[in-house]
């Protein structure tokens, strides 16, 4: 009985021991260390289970056996001499690691055998031909064991022969898998003497099964083609059974040949009655065939005519709906364009608002007031400090100027208009000149320090001509002494 690897793990250690003893001379694992506190033994047992799942016992039987022996000795000593037991288990782990390494090397040398074995497993050869597969595995252990002890040994002939054994198991398993049902159906039909009444049909079934077998023998990759022949064989067996059953019924009724022919005529007339109301049996088989063919051809032509008419009707329906669909699409496109424009404008406005709020947060109340003018942003900076009658940018203004640069950088493609303003104290012409120079110096700072393209910047002065507060008060005059930076944006922000 075949035991899968998954079920194998669920077996007790005694079952594992029996499985090993039945197919190998490798020493037997005495018990699973469930009740043993020796960690090394538990680790070794788990490693041996993994090794067996990976077929290490086949490709490195000697090292694998030494690991098993070390494990058993560790168990025997685990209670009386735990230190010695731990050393034994550790030695077993070393043997297990050697076994894994030697198994990898053996697989490389025995690649043809490993491939043939895997191919046999892939078609359930280890289940369908279990005894022969187990015998082949024993030969594999012998060959691998010889290489393990004598790495230079030449057993190439044995290797070639064993690869052939696995390939034969694969082919025979394929045949059993593909043609098994057909073979059993034919054998059962012969036991029931179906061939007495339907020998020709049953012979066709056998020929189909032979075709399936020969297909696999010539090219075992042509499994689908072989299955088609095998399925055809099953169909022919069923056909033979039906013929045999009808023949037995005729025999039971002692039907004559005429009775049989009349029976078939009645079945045929019943089958084609909707298309051939009256079959001219009196005119012989040829005329019967011709009448039925004419009726079928007529039906086929009518079907084609109806299909053509239906196609034309569908075309007219499509054409009549096309203009409405075109109008609908045009209207949808216009609505979509409007919606896109609206959405774009909304997104642009939201983006401007977001950047405006960013600029607002840059400045304190004593540094500047920030206003939004549609897509533009006005920075009314009244925190500038200039020496009386001077237009030079002082070090105290650098922080404010850097904030203005940050604000401008929030609008990469903007234009910048800088305007200087004064209060109404002093000479009018002097105030005008002073406001122009201050605006120009601020512009130069933005270009030279802020690396803003000078072609984007324009500066102008307005003197005291554009007050924002009453010049009669100290506070008002302070508000009027200012530099304004207008960030001019395209509505479509980058």
């Amino acid at each position: 009985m075949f035991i899968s690897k998954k079920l194998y793990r669920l077996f007790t250690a005694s079952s594992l021991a029996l499985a090993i003893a039945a197919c190998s001379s490798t020493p037997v694992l005495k018990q699973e260390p469930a009740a043993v506190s020796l960690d090394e033994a538990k680790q070794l047992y788990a490693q041996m289970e993994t090794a067996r799942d990976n077929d290490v016992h086949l490709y490195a039987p000697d090292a694998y056996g030494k690991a098993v022996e070390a494990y058993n000795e560790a168990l025997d000593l685990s209670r009386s001499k735990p230190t010695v037991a731990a050393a034994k288990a550790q030695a077993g782990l070393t043997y297990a690691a050697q076994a894994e390494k030697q198994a990898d090397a053996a697989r490389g040398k025995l690649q043809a055998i490993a491939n043939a074995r895997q191919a046999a497993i892939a078609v359930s050869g280890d289940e369908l031909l279990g005894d022969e597969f187990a015998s082949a595995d024993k030969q594999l252990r012998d060959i691998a064991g010889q290489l393990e002890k004598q790495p230079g040994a030449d057993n190439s002939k044995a290797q070639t022969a064993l690869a052939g054994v696995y390939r034969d198991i694969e082919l025979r398993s394929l045949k059993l898998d593909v043609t098994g049902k057909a073979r059993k159906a034919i054998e059962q039909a012969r036991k029931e003497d179906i061939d007495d009444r339907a020998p020709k049909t049953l012979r066709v079934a056998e020929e189909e099964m032979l075709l399936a077998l020969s297909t696999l023998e010539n090219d075992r990759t042509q499994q689908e083609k072989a299955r088609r022949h095998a399925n055809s064989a099953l169909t022919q067996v069923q056909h033979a059974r039906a013929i045999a059953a009808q023949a037995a019924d005729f025999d039971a009724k002692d039907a004559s040949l005429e009775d049989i022919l009349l029976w078939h005529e009645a079945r045929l007339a019943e089958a084609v009655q909707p298309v051939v109301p009256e079959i001219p049996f009196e005119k012989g088989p040829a005329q019967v065939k011709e009448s039925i063919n004419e009726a079928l051809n007529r039906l086929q032509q009518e079907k084609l005519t109806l299909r053509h008419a239906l196609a034309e009707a569908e075309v007219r329906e499509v054409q009549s709906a096309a203009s409405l669909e075109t109008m609908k699409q045009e209207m949808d496109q216009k609505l979509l364009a409007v919606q896109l424009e609206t959405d774009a404008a909304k997104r642009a406005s939201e983006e401007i608002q977001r950047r405006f709020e960013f600029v607002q947060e840059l400045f304190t109340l004593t540094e500047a007031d920030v206003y939004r003018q549609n897509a533009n942003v006005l920075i009314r900076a009244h925190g500038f400090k200039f020496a009386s009658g001077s237009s030079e940018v002082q070090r105290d203004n650098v922080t404010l100027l850097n904030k203005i640069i940050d604000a401008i950088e929030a609008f990469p493609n903007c234009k910048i208009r800088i305007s200087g303003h004064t209060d109404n104290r002093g000479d009018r012409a002097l105030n005008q000149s002073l406001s122009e120079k201050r605006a120009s110096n601020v512009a130069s700072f933005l270009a030279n320090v802020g690396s803003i393209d000078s072609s984007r910047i324009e500066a102008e002065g307005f003197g005291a001509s554009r007050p924002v507060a009453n010049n009669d008060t100290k506070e008002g005059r302070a508000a009027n002494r200012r530099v304004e930076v207008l960030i001019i944006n395209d509505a479509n922000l980058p």
Side-chain angles (χ1 to χ4, degrees):
M1 180 179 67
F2 172 78
I3 301 176
S4 70
K5 288 181 179 178
K6 187 173 182 180
L7 288 176
Y8 177 83
R9 292 193 188 95
L10 300 178
F11 272 43
T12 63
S14 60
S15 298
L16 174 63
L18 289 173
I20 296 175
C23 61
S24 171
S25 59
T26 303
V28 177
L29 291 171
K30 287 187 175 181
Q31 69 180 75
E32 183 177 358
V36 177
S37 61
L38 194 61
D39 291 339
E40 290 85 353
K42 293 180 180 180
Q43 183 182 352
L44 178 56
Y45 185 88
Q47 190 160 336
M48 298 306 294
E49 267 200 321
T50 301
R52 188 169 182 84
D53 285 347
N54 294 331
D55 296 329
V56 173
H57 65 295
L58 298 178
Y59 292 97
D62 186 59
Y64 181 85
K66 290 179 181 179
V68 173
E69 289 176 355
Y71 168 79
N72 290 338
E73 291 178 4
L75 282 188
D76 290 341
L77 297 169
S78 61
R79 297 185 185 278
S80 60
K81 299 179 179 180
T83 303
V84 177
K88 290 287 184 182
Q90 191 61 49
L93 288 169
T94 302
Y95 284 130
Q98 292 175 354
E100 291 279 4
K101 184 176 180 180
Q102 291 172 1
D104 288 340
R107 287 189 190 93
K109 294 179 180 179
L110 306 176
Q111 191 64 55
I113 294 176
N115 291 342
R117 183 176 184 271
Q118 195 56 43
I121 292 174
V123 295
S124 302
D126 50 345
E127 295 183 52
L128 297 173
L129 299 171
D131 292 342
E132 295 178 45
F133 191 87
S135 176
D137 276 358
K138 185 179 183 305
Q139 294 178 55
L140 173 56
R141 283 193 298 277
D142 293 341
I143 291 172
Q146 184 182 9
L147 291 176
E148 190 177 12
K149 294 174 182 177
Q150 302 174 3
D154 182 10
N155 53 15
S156 56
K157 290 184 179 179
Q159 292 181 35
T160 302
L162 181 55
V165 170
Y166 280 121
R167 285 195 296 272
D168 181 64
I169 291 174
E170 178 200 6
L171 179 58
R172 290 162 58 203
S173 298
L174 268 175
K175 290 178 178 179
L176 286 173
D177 178 48
V178 172
T179 66
K181 290 182 180 180
R183 186 192 302 274
K184 290 179 181 178
I186 291 172
E187 290 175 356
Q188 185 62 32
R190 289 200 173 280
K191 287 180 182 179
E192 296 175 11
D193 297 325
I194 299 298
D195 54 333
D196 288 347
R197 289 189 169 91
K200 293 181 179 180
T201 306
L202 196 58
R203 195 174 303 120
V204 172
E206 291 173 335
E207 290 171 354
E208 285 292 325
M209 188 182 71
L210 290 174
L211 282 173
L213 294 173
S214 65
T215 297
L216 292 174
E217 289 174 356
N218 293 329
D219 184 356
R220 63 189 67 187
T221 64
Q222 295 292 319
Q223 295 178 33
E224 286 304 316
K225 182 178 179 182
R227 288 188 191 279
R228 287 195 295 271
H229 285 301
N231 290 335
S232 178
L234 281 172
T235 300
Q236 292 300 328
V237 170
Q238 294 168 355
H239 188 194
R241 285 183 173 280
I243 291 174
Q246 189 59 56
D249 184 60
F250 286 143
D251 287 346
K253 295 177 180 178
D254 196 21
S256 65
L257 181 58
E258 180 183 12
D259 293 331
I260 294 172
L261 290 174
L262 289 172
W263 184 88
H264 280 289
E265 284 183 356
R267 302 289 84 72
L268 178 60
E270 183 180 351
V272 301
Q273 197 277 334
V275 293
V276 187
E278 294 185 8
I279 300 178
F281 289 115
E282 72 280 3
K283 294 182 180 180
Q287 188 61 45
V288 169
K289 178 182 177 182
E290 183 178 350
S291 298
I292 293 175
N293 283 341
E294 287 178 355
L296 292 177
N297 288 336
R298 188 167 56 253
L299 281 176
Q300 183 66 20
Q301 187 59 46
E302 291 174 356
K303 178 181 177 182
L304 291 174
T305 301
L306 288 173
R307 183 175 294 172
H308 180 68
L310 178 61
E312 288 182 341
E314 289 176 348
V315 169
R316 288 193 297 271
E317 182 179 356
V318 169
Q319 290 175 341
S320 63
S323 59
L324 290 175
E325 182 62 25
T326 300
M327 293 174 62
K328 180 179 179 298
Q329 290 177 357
E330 290 176 353
M331 182 61 69
D332 288 344
Q333 289 174 356
K334 291 179 180 179
L335 289 173
L336 178 60
V338 171
Q339 184 63 45
L340 289 175
E341 286 185 13
T342 302
D343 291 345
K346 180 180 179 182
R347 287 193 299 271
S349 178
E350 291 173 349
E351 182 60 20
I352 290 173
Q353 181 63 25
R354 185 186 68 79
R355 299 185 194 188
F356 166 72
E357 291 173 357
F358 164 76
V359 173
Q360 269 190 321
E361 293 176 359
L362 289 174
F363 302 96
T364 65
L365 294 175
T366 59
E367 289 176 330
D369 296 320
V370 182
Y371 304 93
R372 176 177 174 181
Q373 299 176 345
N374 295 324
N376 301 332
V377 176
L378 174 63
I379 302 172
R380 182 170 288 162
H382 42 71
F384 276 108
K385 296 178 180 179
F386 293 99
S388 178
S390 173
S391 62
E392 294 300 319
V393 176
Q394 296 184 3
R395 293 180 62 182
D396 291 348
N397 296 324
V398 171
T399 299
L400 179 56
L401 285 167
N402 284 333
K403 290 184 179 183
I404 292 174
I405 291 171
D406 291 341
I408 293 172
E409 288 177 346
F411 301 89
N413 297 330
C414 70
K415 298 287 187 181
I416 304 102
R417 182 181 298 155
I418 301 172
S419 57
H421 302 268
T422 68
D423 58 25
N424 64 352
R425 295 296 180 92
D427 183 73
R428 182 175 180 181
L430 181 61
N431 284 341
Q432 176 65 32
S433 175
L434 189 61
S435 65
E436 292 174 357
K437 290 178 180 179
R438 287 178 176 176
S440 178
N441 287 342
V442 170
S444 296
F445 185 92
L446 298 181
N448 297 330
V449 178
S451 300
I452 298 171
D453 188 350
S454 59
S455 65
R456 294 167 51 198
I457 306 172
E458 66 176 82
E460 54 189 347
F462 294 97
S465 63
R466 295 187 179 182
V468 294
N470 192 335
N471 277 311
D472 293 336
T473 66
K474 180 180 179 180
E475 292 78 9
R477 289 191 295 273
N480 289 330
R481 293 191 298 271
R482 68 194 187 279
V483 174
E484 293 184 352
V485 179
L486 180 63
I487 299 174
I488 305 169
N489 295 301
D490 189 321
N492 298 317
L493 292 178

